[in-house]
Amino acid sequence: MAQISHTVHVALGERAYDILIGPDLLDHAGAILGEKFPGCRYGIVTDTEVARAQLPRLLASLDKAGLAHQTITVPAGESTKSWEHVQIVVEGLLAAKLERNDLVIALGGGVVGDLAGFAASITRRGMDFVQMPTSLLAQVDSSVGGKTGINSPHGKNLVGAFHQPKLVLADLSALDTLSPRQFAAGYAEVVKYGLIDDPEFFEWLEANHAEIFAGGPARGEAIARCCAHKARVVIEDERETGVRALLNLGHTFGHALEKDTGYSDRLLHGEGVSIGMVLAHTFSNRLGLAPGQDAGRVAAHLRKSGLPTTLADIPGSLGSTETLMAAIAQDKKVSRGALTFILTRGIGQAFIEKNVDPAKVSAFLEEMRKA
Ligand SMILES: NC(=O)c1ccc[n+]([C@@H]2O[C@H](COP(=O)([O-])OP(=O)(O)OC[C@H]3O[C@@H](n4cnc5c(N)ncnc54)[C@H](O)[C@@H]3O)[C@@H](O)[C@H]2O)c1
Ligand SMILES: O=C(O)C(=O)C[C@@H](O)[C@H](O)[C@H](O)COP(=O)(O)O
Ligand SMILES: [Zn+2]
């Protein structure tokens, strides 16, 4: 029997699903899927590193349950979120003769989840999929909420679809093979939930982050709290017409930096979010909205967790401020040409600010480059 330590329900009417969290879910995935989706065959999408570290557990459990499956393996890393790999995944699903009512499994981090989810959304005009997140980032954020897609040379996540999974299985023991740098990157998105509107959670993280990193019971609790937070927001605003934009705290800056560094190992998504959240707090302070000590406290906690917090922490040289501003101008929150930022009045008091003056953003970035 699978041990399920937490269940979070995402109540989206006919698109509702559960997030199951537990220590050994990949070993029981076959039994869980066989009962929930009788008769289905499975197209597993994973990357080279996860294929080595975690795929054998999933394959063994599907075989034990007698479920038919084919695996499509893509290269690990952010550059795999590309048109080229959408084509490879879609053609792989078709070559495996998976039918519209079969299921795609995304086994991996956010890259595999976003890519496989998008491929599922367009294959045979829409196949269902199951998220099996194996990175901390994917367990607390990307596997939940239905944003899928790829990057473009024009910007981050500019191509995609809203496509909710049918089920999320978050196996806590999968995190045992994740590198410390990747774990820390995922932790930035954990901190994000506290900074948006839950100052008590941020305080709890300050007190418990060592146990979360060490793999104690606080880890599962943190993951469940993040999923519950994200589920609440997604239920209220599935397609980001309003409050869901709060989940983008730190991302306008972060995405521009990811594009500038070529979607490479120079800056992981969570690292960009870490720097972006510090910039969002500091910018809010410069605009007279938030106390300076809050930005300092946020930066101190992220730094203590092994994350970069300043532009100078990014290895190599950055493009010009104009280049960064051009990337920011392609952000999906831009409306009628006006910039939207998630700003804050302090820890746990984020808000959506429309019509932010680009000249102020540009001057702020100039200041931060010299800091
Ligand atoms: N859809 C959303 O709502 C959403 C939310 C947040 C982030 N994202 C996206 O998610 C992506 C980042 O996700 P990520 O941080 O998981 O990156 P990732 O998918 O690249 O995974 C990180 C690295 O860790 C490896 N890995 C993953 N699980 C492992 C395991 N258990 N053992 C060993 N290695 C493992 C992967 O192979 C990869 O090299 C970005 O593209 C970001 O834009 C999407
Ligand atoms: O789910 C959301 O909504 C988020 O904004 C979560 C983010 O952590 C995530 O990085 C998301 O992919 C960013 O969305 P985007 O719309 O700015 O591409
Ligand atoms: Zn993110």
Side-chain angles (χ1 to χ4, degrees):
M1 268 284 275
Q3 219 185 303
I4 294 165
S5 45
H6 306 268
T7 301
V8 177
H9 184 63
V10 187
L12 278 173
E14 59 184 17
R15 290 180 304 290
Y17 54 96
D18 283 328
I19 305 164
L20 307 182
I21 302 165
D24 56 0
L25 296 187
L26 287 181
D27 304 313
H28 293 90
I32 295 169
L33 295 175
E35 193 182 321
K36 224 173 148 47
F37 308 106
C40 263
R41 293 179 304 144
Y42 296 87
I44 303 165
V45 182
T46 192
D47 71 30
T48 44
E49 290 180 25
V50 178
R52 201 167 30 243
Q54 298 296 333
L55 179 64
R57 294 174 61 209
L58 175 61
L59 295 184
S61 90
L62 295 183
D63 288 340
K64 192 168 162 208
L67 305 182
H69 53 82
Q70 290 250 4
T71 302
I72 300 161
T73 306
V74 294
E78 185 69 33
S79 57
T80 291
K81 268 176 61 171
S82 65
W83 284 114
E84 180 196 348
H85 290 96
V86 171
Q87 185 174 3
I88 287 170
V89 173
V90 169
E91 293 297 340
L93 295 171
L94 296 174
K97 299 193 172 55
L98 289 160
E99 297 167 4
R100 196 162 58 191
N101 295 328
D102 288 329
L103 272 164
V104 175
I105 295 176
L107 176 75
V111 165
V112 162
D114 283 11
L115 175 73
F118 182 46
S121 80
I122 57 174
T123 302
R124 299 193 196 276
R125 292 214 180 89
M127 290 180 70
D128 288 335
F129 81 119
V130 172
Q131 289 271 19
M132 298 196 187
T134 61
S135 68
L136 178 64
L137 186 142
Q139 295 194 353
V140 300
D141 193 345
S142 62
S143 64
V144 179
K147 276 190 181 176
T148 71
I150 55 170
N151 304 322
S152 149
H154 293 284
K156 175 86 180 169
N157 295 341
L158 292 188
V159 178
F162 285 98
H163 189 49
Q164 300 292 343
K166 285 287 159 195
L167 176 71
V168 181
L169 295 185
D171 182 323
L172 295 172
S173 58
L175 300 179
D176 294 346
T177 56
L178 193 64
S179 75
R181 181 181 176 194
Q182 293 289 354
F183 191 91
Y187 184 72
E189 302 270 25
V190 174
V191 172
K192 178 184 78 177
Y193 292 105
L195 297 181
I196 291 172
D197 62 0
D198 193 348
E200 187 274 322
F201 184 55
F202 181 74
E203 261 176 51
W204 183 81
L205 291 173
E206 285 179 314
N208 289 281
H209 81 283
E211 187 183 325
I212 293 169
F213 275 74
R219 185 185 281 182
E221 187 181 338
I223 292 169
R225 285 179 75 165
C226 293
C227 288
H229 189 153
K230 183 156 184 182
R232 270 197 310 277
V233 176
V234 169
I235 289 163
E236 191 179 336
D237 179 21
E238 186 181 4
R239 287 184 167 244
E240 200 178 300
T241 55
V243 292
R244 182 164 181 170
L246 290 169
L247 297 173
N248 239 241
L249 175 64
H251 283 64
T252 314
F253 290 122
H255 281 173
L257 294 170
E258 279 189 84
K259 174 180 184 292
D260 201 70
T261 48
Y263 309 121
S264 72
D265 273 5
R266 267 177 74 200
L267 187 72
L268 304 176
H269 175 73
E271 295 171 340
V273 171
S274 173
I275 296 171
M277 291 192 299
V278 175
L279 291 177
H281 279 74
T282 311
F283 186 44
S284 301
N285 170 257
R286 295 297 188 273
L287 296 174
L289 297 165
Q293 66 262 35
D294 280 24
R297 189 171 154 203
V298 172
H301 182 59
L302 293 168
R303 212 176 303 119
K304 203 169 170 184
S305 308
L307 284 158
T309 56
T310 67
L311 296 182
D313 290 336
I314 303 170
S317 54
L318 281 179
S320 64
T321 298
E322 291 70 39
T323 314
L324 291 175
M325 289 303 296
I328 287 173
Q330 278 279 18
D331 183 72
K332 293 191 291 312
K333 299 186 294 306
V334 169
S335 172
R336 307 280 186 254
L339 300 183
T340 293
F341 270 80
I342 311 309
L343 297 180
T344 185
R345 296 190 178 82
I347 289 169
Q349 299 177 68
F351 64 96
I352 302 163
E353 180 72 353
K354 296 183 174 157
N355 265 315
V356 175
D357 182 355
K360 289 187 177 160
V361 181
S362 176
F364 171 69
L365 283 173
E366 276 295 312
E367 180 199 338
M368 291 297 104
R369 298 168 79 94
K370 289 175 192 139

